[in-house]
Amino acid sequence: MSRPEGTRGSRCCLQVKFVPDEDVLKHIADDAGAKVRKDKAQLSASVKRFVKKLENISDNEAQEILEEKKYVATLGIHAQDPMGNGSEISGGEVYSFQTPKRSNKMAELASELAQTPEKNVAPDHSKCPEKMARIPQSSKEMFLLMHVFSLLFQHKKKEFVSTTPYRLRRRLAAPDSYLESESEYSASCSEEEEDEEDQKEVSTDQKTPAKTKAASTPPPRNSLAKKVKEQKMANLVEEYFEAHSSSKVLTSDRTLQKFQKRRLNQQTLHDLLKSAPLAYAAEIRDLNQQHESLFSKWMLQLHLGFNIVLYGLGSKRDLLEKFRTSLLQDSVHLVINGYFPSITVRSILNSITEEVLDHIGTFRSPLDQVEFITKRFKEDSSLELYVLIHNLDSQMLRGERSQQILAQLSSLPSIYLIASIDHINAPLMWDQAKLSLYNWLWYETTTFNPYVEETSYENSLLVQQSGSLALSSLVHVLHSLTLNARGIFRLLAQHQLEKKDNPSYPGLSFQDFYQQCREAFLVNSDLTLRAQLTEFRDHKLIRTKRGADGVEYLLIPVDDSTLTNFLEKEDEDV
Amino acid sequence: QQIQEDMNKQLLDSLVSFLSRSHSDFREKTTEWTCEMKFREIPTAALVLGVNVTDHALTFRGLSDVLQDNITPYVALLEAKDCPGIKNLMQKLMGQLMSCDVDVDSLEDEDGVQVSQNRIRCSMASLISWYESVTKKTDSETPSKKRNSSSRHWQSPPVVVIFKDMESFTTKVLQDFIVISSQHIHELPLVLIFGIATSPMIIHRLLPHSVSSLLCIELFQSLSCKEHLSTIIDKLLLTSQFPFKLGGKVLQVLINIFLYHDFSVQNFVKGFQLCIVEHFYSQPLSVLCCHLADIKKRAYSLSHDQCENIRRLPSFRRYVEKQESGKQIELLTNDSFLKEETEKLLEDIHVYHENYVSILRCLHVFTSSLPKYPLGKQIRELHCACLENRVWETEEYESCLQLARMLNKTDLVTMLQQCVEILMSSSGKKFDKTVGKLKGFLTQFQDLEAEASQERDVSISSQKELQRKTDLYHLQKTLLELKESRRSKKLTKFEMLRFEVVDYIDRLVRKYLVPADDRTLHEIVYFNAAAVLRGHLNAAPRTALHTALNNPHWYLRNQALKCDGGGISNKAPDICIVYKLHLECGRLINLVDWLEAFSTVVMAAEEPNADAASSDHVDDIIHARFIRAVSELELLGFIKPSKQKTDHVARLTWGGC
């Protein structure tokens, strides 16, 4: 159950603790007798309340129907707006709701606002000027929305105080589905100026699934969920699976390619970021100074057999570097950049044995190596080693075995480990045994520093990396080839582009290709074609694969967009 | 600082030694048994150790040491992580056995067996031949020499193989090993010991019947970790020997971590160590936290600054305010006078501790036997309650007293006797009077017993009277009278005495179980920073990330970031904005939409210079910032690239949609 936390981290953490607590309490029932009794008392109390709630249910339902009417009404009003007064007024209406007096109103507000961002995103192809006018507005709306959501969360935290959250959530569920309908609706946004009847119909349509959803879950459970956290969890679980059950995800279909913006490559990105001023530099510096004041304490605790792990938002690299330069200058230390994509435990161990212990020779397995290191460190008590690991939770070091080995290393009394973690699920790497080997002391060091180094090795979606390279190399290589060879490649590329919609396209079979080449008078025998293909393969322009039937398939290992660009360029040249 | 570190180390050592001591009784039981079990199929001991896996290493180390000392020199400890296959297992086993053999033989300068371990062909046969050669050697060559070094060793000592964590071994390896070794059992007396964390059923689940029938399993239950905890608390906290004390909240935190997270005694000890470190690091006056004998010396060596520190302590200020004015001035200005006073106060605290512990135990004797345990069953709960506030002001204590007033005599007498014993054994001399008083109560109870027999006679006679009067009116009258009299003289002598006893206990409690916060200079001895401890031991990285992303103002104290109602301003750091925006999305996020929303927000924030001519450049910068923020989110594990749809990322967390 720890997966779906994330956004409401603090609250969910509480819950996650809560459930095992009960289990544990059962285990130690004789031990913590008083506590169990208290719990029981609470439980019974909640059961009582639950009974009371059952009585109230009919009452509630009536109220809910009433609210739903109101909700539909507001939808109607909202639908009127864009037609009548344009976006300005709708914003004004939003503001009028901003001071919620009753919690019900807030729910309405939430639903109202939930539609707005979708609105200003979807229909902008046709109406650029309008969109421009809307920009500041929409940002405000966005924040209002956030505001509401956070209020909502606060409410949920205080759930046993008021009965509203449940209703709020149901509200939320409703606008959610409404949202989807909205996006569908706005996909055909040219008919936005329809009459309000239609819109209402859509909304009521969407309403019914939401309602059936609520009805499908047994009513007593729902009402209990208002009160008891666990039930709440169950409800959350339901929502989770609801969200993940539908294989179809409704998002807009726009892609970055249609988006008129050139992709940035790593270098320009870096330059651009350098030119952009870092916000709140002074505050960040203060924050870092606070952490730096802890350095001597860290030293003491490292020497007392603890190991230190740093967590919190922001790159902790600079902090650790500073620690290193200020305190570890005169001692043997090893810095491990965990974020480096090709780091392995083996390389870490090798650097210990070869550079720290001056041992020449290889080991059969990492376990042997660890044993050797352990022995050396035990024999020679004057040996001391500080190990600094940036990003202990990186892709390469995450594995069970590497963590085990690192933990064993860190448990040596003369190896002092100080590491940083960033991933939200990083603590899940360690089980009890490893935790006790590591003997962590946790330090929160939120720095807000950008993760410059750490992310530079990642293949970000937005950064154009291999694409530009591939294109330039394609052009480069092909220019050095004969005209016929270029023609052969073009043929293959065109064929591949034709089949780009077929995800299981295996490639062009050699025989077919030969036929096509012959028809285009590019080759005269399959030997020449093979020679040509070998040359392509040497330049990594194509890849050959043997299919299940033994036929050779040819494929250009470049993504479609690059290929299109390439063909366009070729056309220009010709 | 140096002295402090020394003290720390001392403490740690004593802790560790204690921990191993606590296992020893259980260990002896095992060793006895292994001696008896020598000639069966494969004698196997299954140790059920409980879920606190982290403590097991210590237990096993102790166990193997004891075995080595008392029974056999051939002990091998195997861990699952070292033995992925039967070959590795054998290798490991051979290595360990041979090396411990070398240890024994090194006295006699034997190096015949000292072949490089990696070269040996590891098989059962070689193991057996090795074993035979070793035993022969010990038997024939130097029996006299051997006797004194291993006089308690058996003629053909068994080879003990300990599987530390049976659950994590692969079944095949275990099965193979057992089958193979069972075939060689006649040549090689092998004893297996399984360490089990869950339940003994696991043996049968891991091993099929054909294999488990080769074993002769005896089950041992180790002490539960709770008992370890209470002994540790007993020995560390409830003594006056250690000058360092834990505050109520801190103790609560430690116990909660223990009970709700890991059941690991080792972690508890670690937490305790951390407390000591923190205390000595953060409290400049902790120099004075030492044994009684050293106080005088250290108090005199206090510098002026340290004296000022003492004056700044809140508890000391309270103390000063209570004194008359002359003494106040003296305390605040004269360093040497202050030192004397400090010494006196610290001695007071020491005495208070001695009294506190014994009275706490007495009270525990009373409360632990009451129905429903209003003050908790364990002494640690009582201790926490007493540390936190005045225990006699709590409701639970009230109900305790009420229940105590209803105790029957035998219970009461045994409790009083226990109390007397506790008080007698305690070192404080102040308790002579108390002991006398309690003994007085005891004799009074004995007197009562004598009286009671007489009383019984009286009541019998009255009943006889009752039987004599047969007519209705008289009967009614006498019954009424009886009732009346019973109501009035409700308090028999026993009851009176009982009240007296309870009141006396109550008085003792009020006198001695004052919470430590009320004592002057308690800051020196008590560690109370529970929040710090919690942060270091039981950290919540997710929460920290969440607050940093949702409420950057919490970390970056900038007015521009401050906004009401938990919202977020559009001037927040990029990653916060991107994070907030991504919360609004479902399972998949369209990057284009996301970028657009981001640039909208950022443009709004930079409105004044947005209309500058270099809008294209600004656009690029925003784009770059967005890319950075997104890749940071990816690093943090909130999103990952998705192949389901072009230019989409998948959300990895759930909750906002």
Side-chain angles (χ1 to χ4, degrees):
Chain A
M1 232 6 266
S2 58
R3 260 293 148 92
E5 290 177 14
T7 56
R8 299 172 206 166
S10 60
R11 193 174 64 87
C12 280
C13 275
L14 258 176
Q15 290 184 341
V16 166
K17 265 181 223 154
F18 186 81
V19 178
D21 280 4
E22 291 250 295
D23 284 348
V24 171
L25 274 172
K26 264 172 218 154
H27 278 300
I28 47 155
D30 58 330
D31 194 43
K35 272 175 197 154
V36 173
R37 256 198 333 284
K38 256 181 220 162
D39 260 27
K40 271 183 192 156
Q42 267 176 12
L43 268 178
S44 62
S46 66
V47 167
K48 263 181 217 157
R49 266 180 294 175
F50 161 54
V51 171
K52 225 190 247 168
K53 223 58 245 175
L54 269 179
E55 291 168 5
N56 286 346
I57 262 186
S58 54
D59 214 340
N60 267 349
E61 261 169 11
Q63 212 182 336
E64 252 160 34
I65 290 166
L66 216 131
E67 272 162 27
E68 265 158 22
K69 268 186 197 161
K70 221 193 281 172
Y71 174 67
V72 172
T74 47
L75 279 184
I77 292 168
H78 192 81
Q80 261 173 349
D81 293 329
M83 177 174 65
N85 308 316
S87 56
E88 239 99 352
I89 295 301
S90 82
E93 201 182 322
V94 165
Y95 286 133
S96 72
F97 276 110
Q98 203 190 1
T99 50
K101 278 167 191 111
R102 288 179 305 131
S103 41
N104 292 356
K105 258 214 170 116
M106 203 174 75
E108 281 164 20
L109 178 62
S111 63
E112 197 106 301
L113 284 174
Q115 321 172 30
T116 43
E118 202 63 30
K119 262 243 158 82
N120 67 32
V121 169
D124 54 353
H125 300 295
S126 52
K127 302 176 209 164
C128 273
E130 196 176 320
K131 182 198 148 204
M132 288 311 283
R134 242 191 243 170
I135 279 174
Q137 188 74 47
S138 67
S139 80
K140 275 174 200 159
E141 284 170 358
M142 200 72 88
F143 281 114
L144 259 178
L145 180 62
M146 286 164 194
H147 174 82
V148 167
F149 268 99
S150 56
L151 268 183
L152 212 72
F153 292 154
Q154 281 172 1
H155 258 272
K156 278 183 184 173
K157 277 177 196 158
K158 292 184 268 174
E159 55 224 327
F160 38 81
V161 185
S162 70
T163 56
T164 44
Y166 164 62
R167 203 171 295 142
L168 278 186
R169 229 217 331 264
R170 253 193 81 181
R171 289 275 143 221
L172 258 182
D176 216 33
S177 52
Y178 181 69
L179 250 177
E180 288 166 7
S181 82
E182 179 78 7
S183 64
E184 274 176 338
Y185 175 68
S186 55
S188 59
C189 64
S190 52
E191 300 105 341
E192 201 187 286
E193 279 84 13
E194 271 179 317
D195 57 345
E196 63 170 286
E197 284 297 317
D198 202 335
Q199 175 103 2
K200 225 186 222 169
E201 221 173 75
V202 171
S203 69
T204 43
D205 263 9
Q206 282 307 114
K207 205 117 228 11
T208 36
K211 229 181 161 182
T212 49
K213 182 172 64 190
S216 67
T217 57
R221 244 186 117 169
N222 265 344
S223 56
L224 196 67
K226 291 174 202 168
K227 297 289 176 189
V228 188
K229 263 185 184 172
E230 282 164 88
Q231 294 291 343
K232 193 132 220 161
M233 282 282 280
N235 218 338
L236 263 175
V237 172
E238 267 169 38
E239 272 184 41
Y240 174 81
F241 283 113
E242 238 159 61
H244 279 243
S245 60
S246 62
S247 57
K248 216 171 70 173
V249 185
L250 289 157
T251 49
S252 64
D253 285 329
R254 305 191 304 157
T255 60
L256 286 173
Q257 253 151 40
K258 286 179 201 160
F259 195 57
Q260 287 304 315
K261 181 159 285 186
R262 65 194 171 83
R263 289 196 167 199
L264 302 162
N265 64 25
Q266 195 78 48
Q267 191 53 44
T268 48
L269 174 73
H270 198 71
D271 295 344
L272 278 172
L273 284 178
K274 254 194 186 153
S275 64
L278 188 63
Y280 308 110
E283 283 83 2
I284 289 175
R285 211 178 316 120
D286 282 355
L287 211 60
N288 281 334
Q289 257 154 23
Q290 248 175 53
H291 300 318
E292 279 158 29
S293 65
L294 292 171
F295 280 174
S296 58
K297 194 173 182 180
W298 290 354
M299 264 321 245
L300 175 70
Q301 287 172 340
L302 284 175
H303 275 276
L304 286 170
F306 297 103
N307 292 311
I308 288 176
V309 62
L310 309 176
Y311 64 92
L313 180 69
S315 168
K316 291 160 279 287
R317 200 172 165 278
D318 293 343
L319 192 69
L320 280 179
E321 273 300 294
K322 205 153 196 178
F323 176 71
R324 188 179 71 87
T325 48
S326 59
L327 286 175
L328 301 182
Q329 236 11 295
D330 303 328
S331 38
V332 187
H333 58 261
L334 177 71
V335 181
I336 297 161
N337 295 326
Y339 49 82
F340 196 71
S342 64
I343 192 133
T344 58
V345 182
R346 185 134 225 180
S347 58
I348 296 173
L349 291 175
N350 278 339
S351 54
I352 291 179
T353 48
E354 279 161 23
E355 275 153 46
V356 181
L357 301 177
D358 288 327
H359 173 86
I360 306 151
T362 49
F363 296 90
R364 278 187 307 160
S365 73
L367 279 176
D368 284 354
Q369 210 161 356
V370 170
E371 218 162 89
F372 174 77
I373 293 169
T374 319
K375 222 172 85 196
R376 282 295 298 271
F377 273 98
K378 277 196 178 138
E379 277 169 7
D380 190 355
S381 57
S382 65
L383 269 178
E384 280 188 342
L385 175 64
Y386 294 85
V387 182
L388 284 87
I389 304 182
H390 304 295
N391 289 75
L392 187 57
D393 54 347
S394 65
Q395 286 289 348
M396 293 306 292
L397 300 180
R398 225 171 253 188
E400 146 92 36
R401 288 185 67 82
S402 33
Q403 286 295 328
Q404 177 70 42
I405 285 167
L406 286 176
Q408 265 172 293
L409 274 187
S410 72
S411 66
L412 290 178
S414 46
I415 289 187
Y416 311 115
L417 176 67
I418 177 163
S420 66
I421 56 168
D422 288 300
H423 199 277
I424 40 167
N425 293 328
L428 300 180
M429 292 190 296
W430 303 312
D431 58 12
Q432 288 284 342
K434 287 199 199 80
L435 276 179
S436 78
L437 278 178
Y438 271 125
N439 205 9
W440 287 130
L441 282 188
W442 298 77
Y443 274 91
E444 182 183 335
T445 52
T446 303
T447 60
F448 274 101
N449 282 337
Y451 293 96
V452 181
E453 288 289 319
E454 287 91 329
T455 53
S456 63
Y457 295 103
E458 253 176 58
N459 301 334
S460 176
L461 287 164
L462 293 158
V463 185
Q464 195 174 36
Q465 274 177 330
S466 56
S468 67
L469 266 176
L471 184 60
S472 64
S473 61
L474 269 184
V475 173
H476 197 75
V477 169
L478 284 182
H479 270 287
S480 65
L481 293 175
T482 58
L483 208 64
N484 270 7
R486 266 189 259 174
I488 294 171
F489 191 78
R490 262 181 80 93
L491 213 60
L492 190 60
Q494 274 163 355
H495 190 267
Q496 186 162 336
L497 277 182
E498 276 163 28
K499 294 281 168 60
K500 72 177 173 190
D501 293 331
N502 179 9
S504 58
Y505 169 67
L508 185 59
S509 73
F510 180 78
Q511 280 310 320
D512 292 350
F513 192 36
Y514 176 58
Q515 277 305 325
Q516 285 182 21
C517 287
R518 264 183 82 99
E519 280 159 22
F521 301 112
L522 290 169
V523 291
N524 53 7
S525 75
D526 69 337
L527 266 182
T528 39
L529 180 58
R530 276 204 191 279
Q532 200 53 253
L533 287 180
T534 320
E535 193 164 350
F536 286 154
R537 206 179 300 140
D538 290 345
H539 287 105
K540 297 209 169 78
L541 292 181
I542 60 163
R543 209 165 32 188
T544 51
K545 213 168 30 177
R546 266 193 203 285
D549 46 354
V551 183
E552 211 174 341
Y553 287 105
L554 307 167
L555 202 67
I556 305 176
V558 176
D559 59 291
D560 300 335
S561 54
T562 325
L563 217 52
T564 334
N565 284 345
F566 164 73
L567 285 179
E568 276 165 13
K569 225 173 211 168
E570 281 286 282
D571 287 338
E572 281 166 24
D573 286 356
V574 171
Chain B
Q1 202 93 38
Q2 283 294 316
I3 310 162
Q4 290 162 11
E5 277 191 35
D6 284 351
M7 271 186 64
N8 286 339
K9 286 203 179 107
Q10 251 176 18
L11 262 178
L12 306 196
D13 287 348
S14 68
L15 280 176
V16 171
S17 68
F18 163 71
L19 206 71
S20 46
R21 212 190 312 140
S22 66
H23 289 289
S24 64
D25 52 333
F26 143 75
R27 230 180 281 134
E28 259 140 42
K29 201 171 65 183
T30 334
T31 53
E32 275 164 31
W33 171 82
T34 30
C35 303
E36 290 163 14
M37 288 287 297
K38 254 182 39 176
F39 297 109
R40 309 266 191 88
E41 294 238 328
I42 302 180
T44 306
L47 302 183
V48 182
L49 290 162
V51 288
N52 47 339
V53 189
T54 47
D55 301 338
H56 295 175
L58 217 60
T59 319
F60 281 117
R61 214 179 308 141
L63 179 64
S64 68
D65 283 350
V66 169
L67 285 176
Q68 225 148 26
D69 286 350
N70 296 335
I71 301 173
T72 165
Y74 315 119
V75 180
L77 267 171
L78 295 178
E79 274 180 88
K81 62 170 189 280
D82 298 332
C83 312
I86 183 86
K87 203 176 152 200
N88 302 48
L89 190 143
M90 287 306 295
Q91 216 164 33
K92 199 91 191 163
L93 180 65
M94 297 278 291
Q96 286 201 14
L97 286 176
M98 304 233 168
S99 68
C100 60
D101 174 61
V102 166
D103 285 345
V104 174
D105 284 3
S106 59
L107 301 168
E108 304 162 28
D109 283 333
E110 284 289 332
D111 57 343
V113 231
Q114 215 163 6
V115 197
S116 74
Q117 288 170 22
N118 296 344
R119 294 285 170 78
I120 295 179
R121 254 190 76 246
C122 294
S123 68
M124 217 56 189
S126 61
L127 189 63
I128 289 161
S129 64
W130 160 79
Y131 180 75
E132 273 170 359
S133 72
V134 169
T135 42
K136 226 178 272 166
K137 217 186 301 159
T138 50
D139 284 349
S140 59
E141 273 187 23
T142 49
S144 57
K145 241 184 184 176
K146 206 69 188 145
R147 274 296 112 77
N148 47 24
S149 68
S150 59
S151 53
R152 275 181 293 171
H153 288 174
W154 296 70
Q155 203 60 23
S156 56
V159 173
V160 180
V161 181
I162 303 177
F163 294 90
K164 270 189 180 176
D165 36 1
M166 195 206 178
E167 281 97 335
S168 34
F169 275 95
T170 34
T171 29
K172 185 140 188 331
V173 172
L174 266 185
Q175 285 171 23
D176 286 352
F177 180 73
I178 290 168
V179 170
I180 293 172
S181 50
S182 73
Q183 281 161 359
H184 294 280
I185 191 67
H186 300 296
E187 294 135 272
L188 185 73
L190 202 65
V191 177
L192 305 181
I193 297 180
F194 293 141
I196 295 173
T198 47
S199 79
M201 283 303 291
I202 196 79
I203 296 178
H204 300 287
R205 211 170 303 150
L206 277 178
L207 305 173
H209 182 69
S210 58
V211 176
S212 61
S213 62
L214 293 173
L215 301 173
C216 169
I217 300 171
E218 186 104 344
L219 204 66
F220 293 95
Q221 187 85 39
S222 80
L223 287 172
S224 85
C225 44
K226 280 177 297 172
E227 282 161 55
H228 284 312
L229 179 69
S230 26
T231 36
I232 280 192
I233 288 180
D234 247 26
K235 299 229 162 148
L236 280 179
L237 301 178
L238 302 179
T239 54
S240 46
Q241 282 168 7
F242 289 108
F244 173 77
K245 302 279 168 198
L246 290 179
K249 287 219 183 69
V250 175
L251 185 59
Q252 202 77 54
V253 166
L254 283 180
I255 289 176
N256 280 349
I257 290 178
F258 176 82
L259 288 180
Y260 299 151
H261 288 264
D262 48 10
F263 283 122
S264 161
V265 179
Q266 226 171 19
N267 271 5
F268 183 85
V269 173
K270 173 190 160 191
F272 190 73
Q273 290 169 0
L274 179 66
C275 290
I276 297 171
V277 174
E278 277 286 324
H279 182 69
F280 283 113
Y281 186 81
S282 57
Q283 177 62 262
L285 287 172
S286 51
V287 200
L288 290 173
C289 175
C290 56
H291 288 281
L292 194 58
D294 300 338
I295 284 182
K296 197 163 186 168
K297 213 169 64 198
R298 292 201 190 173
Y300 276 109
S301 60
L302 285 180
S303 68
H304 178 70
D305 285 346
Q306 281 170 317
C307 289
E308 283 302 312
N309 274 331
I310 292 181
R311 287 183 188 124
R312 248 175 262 137
L313 289 180
S315 70
F316 188 74
R317 280 210 203 138
R318 251 179 282 143
Y319 173 73
V320 170
E321 275 157 26
K322 274 184 217 148
Q323 308 299 319
E324 66 261 30
S325 57
K327 208 176 170 190
Q328 270 184 13
I329 294 166
E330 194 77 341
L331 277 173
L332 291 179
T333 52
N334 189 346
D335 273 359
S336 57
F337 184 73
L338 176 82
K339 283 173 190 170
E340 273 170 41
E341 196 67 22
T342 317
E343 195 191 321
K344 226 180 287 165
L345 285 170
L346 283 173
E347 273 164 20
D348 275 357
I349 286 193
H350 193 78
V351 171
Y352 155 77
H353 280 145
E354 282 179 355
N355 298 340
Y356 174 88
V357 172
S358 352
I359 297 296
L360 186 74
R361 284 181 200 278
C362 288
L363 183 62
H364 180 239
V365 166
F366 270 88
T367 54
S368 61
S369 58
L370 294 176
K372 286 191 181 174
Y373 314 106
L375 273 171
K377 202 177 180 186
Q378 305 282 334
I379 197 163
R380 57 168 183 263
E381 294 166 60
L382 191 64
H383 183 50
C384 283
C386 291
L387 277 177
E388 237 153 68
N389 39 32
R390 293 161 198 236
V391 73
W392 58 88
E393 282 169 3
T394 57
E395 263 178 58
E396 287 88 359
Y397 183 74
E398 270 314 305
S399 62
C400 255
L401 280 192
Q402 267 169 13
L403 287 169
R405 289 197 182 104
M406 285 182 270
L407 284 170
N408 64 14
K409 204 191 79 186
T410 44
D411 283 353
L412 204 58
V413 169
T414 47
M415 279 178 201
L416 282 176
Q417 271 161 352
Q418 276 175 326
C419 287
V420 169
E421 269 167 38
I422 289 168
L423 293 179
M424 296 279 265
S425 64
S426 79
S427 50
K429 281 146 207 141
K430 275 186 169 181
F431 287 123
D432 292 347
K433 234 170 68 189
T434 330
V435 171
K437 184 97 181 169
L438 288 178
K439 275 186 177 160
F441 281 132
L442 277 175
T443 48
Q444 275 177 327
F445 273 118
Q446 272 155 15
D447 292 347
L448 263 183
E449 211 158 333
E451 278 175 43
S453 54
Q454 289 173 5
E455 252 179 57
R456 216 173 292 137
D457 292 345
V458 175
S459 63
I460 287 168
S461 66
S462 73
Q463 277 195 346
K464 272 178 188 160
E465 258 174 58
L466 203 75
Q467 278 164 357
R468 237 184 291 147
K469 281 163 188 159
T470 44
D471 69 303
L472 197 63
Y473 173 70
H474 278 280
L475 184 67
Q476 210 169 8
K477 202 175 158 192
T478 42
L479 275 176
L480 273 175
E481 268 173 15
L482 262 177
K483 215 169 159 191
E484 204 93 316
S485 67
R486 234 174 241 168
R487 198 176 292 157
S488 61
K489 65 151 195 172
K490 177 133 190 153
L491 301 175
T492 60
K493 268 190 185 164
F494 166 67
E495 277 158 343
M496 299 259 276
L497 198 55
R498 193 164 60 184
F499 272 128
E500 228 172 286
V501 170
V502 173
D503 283 345
Y504 185 69
I505 296 286
D506 186 33
R507 240 177 297 143
L508 281 180
V509 167
R510 275 161 204 265
K511 191 172 167 197
Y512 292 113
L513 294 190
V514 184
D517 293 359
D518 295 356
R519 308 295 303 192
T520 314
L521 293 185
H522 70 90
E523 288 96 336
I524 291 178
V525 188
Y526 279 85
F527 176 68
N528 246 328
V532 179
L533 188 69
R534 172 144 243 159
H536 290 331
L537 287 182
N538 198 6
R542 273 160 170 266
T543 326
L545 265 182
H546 185 254
T547 29
L549 288 171
N550 273 313
N551 189 9
H553 174 70
W554 210 80
Y555 289 102
L556 306 170
R557 305 267 162 209
N558 190 316
Q559 275 308 303
L561 291 174
K562 193 162 190 175
C563 41
D564 45 313
I568 188 167
S569 92
N570 50 9
K571 291 188 181 61
D574 298 342
I575 188 167
C576 300
I577 295 172
V578 170
Y579 171 75
K580 275 288 183 188
L581 290 171
H582 113 288
L583 284 185
E584 306 302 325
C585 298
R587 199 147 54 89
L588 288 179
I589 306 169
N590 186 327
L591 278 173
V592 183
D593 293 348
W594 202 3
L595 171 60
E596 211 152 89
F598 175 75
S599 63
T600 319
V601 172
V602 175
M603 299 273 254
E606 291 171 353
E607 218 156 2
N609 48 355
D611 47 10
S614 60
S615 67
D616 191 41
H617 183 62
V618 170
D619 223 33
D620 269 354
I621 287 181
I622 288 174
H623 190 181
R625 279 164 66 185
F626 175 71
I627 289 172
R628 177 175 62 187
V630 169
S631 50
E632 280 174 2
L633 276 190
E634 195 180 335
L635 180 79
L636 293 175
F638 284 104
I639 54 166
K640 68 164 192 208
S642 153
K643 289 223 164 79
Q644 281 185 26
K645 218 169 168 188
T646 46
D647 291 330
H648 274 65
V649 288
R651 258 186 86 173
L652 295 178
T653 55
W654 185 81
C657 54

